[in-house]
Amino acid sequence: MHEMGIAQELVRIALESIPEDIDNPKVEKLNLKIGKLAAVVEHSLTFCFEIITKDTPLEGAVLDITEVPVGIRCKGCNRQWEVDQPAFQCPNCQEAEVEMISGREIEIISIELAE
């Protein structure tokens, strides 16, 4: 289950991002973007996150996950589009030389702290 490793990295980044001058910080929410092809099971990630945040400033924090679709760019004509099936051919010029520009990311967009 690679979700545990992802959760550990999210916690590490979040803890390092909390300003040191805040006394007893409490994180309420982590806003995330996770690509459709990142192979992350949301329920598993949330479960792992809950386990490893116990007794930390992130305990009880919510993971707000936005799924990022798979974005493709044609190297021939530069057209960009989203796909939801494994057909990677430009609908504009029919070129098959394309690159994936989104869909694999796992990013913390913002961290919300309690007042």
Side-chain angles (χ1 to χ4, degrees):
M1 174 190 317
H2 75 284
E3 284 81 2
M4 182 59 82
I6 293 168
Q8 290 172 327
E9 191 64 12
L10 291 173
V11 169
R12 183 190 67 75
I13 293 168
L15 289 174
E16 289 178 359
S17 299
I18 298 172
E20 292 181 18
D21 62 341
I22 297 177
D23 291 328
N24 300 316
K26 174 79 174 131
V27 175
E28 289 186 342
K29 186 189 294 185
L30 258 64
N31 296 300
L32 309 174
K33 280 189 177 178
I34 299 181
K36 193 171 186 171
L37 294 181
V40 174
V41 177
E42 186 175 334
H43 175 72
S44 296
L45 179 60
T46 301
F47 177 75
C48 293
F49 184 80
E50 288 173 4
I51 291 171
I52 63 174
T53 57
K54 185 166 175 38
D55 299 325
T56 75
L58 289 113
E59 184 173 7
V62 173
L63 295 180
D64 184 17
I65 300 171
T66 301
E67 184 179 82
V68 179
V70 179
I72 304 293
R73 184 184 66 80
C74 176
K75 291 183 177 182
C77 71
N78 254 357
R79 179 172 178 181
Q80 295 182 13
W81 70 99
E82 293 177 4
V83 296
D84 57 1
Q85 56 187 348
F88 296 94
Q89 183 178 27
C90 180
N92 186 50
C93 69
Q94 307 308 311
E95 181 69 38
E97 191 171 345
V98 298
E99 75 175 318
M100 186 178 306
I101 57 174
S102 67
R104 292 186 184 154
E105 57 273 274
I106 300 172
E107 300 176 13
I108 297 176
I109 300 305
S110 63
I111 300 169
E112 297 180 25
L113 298 173
E115 291 187 33

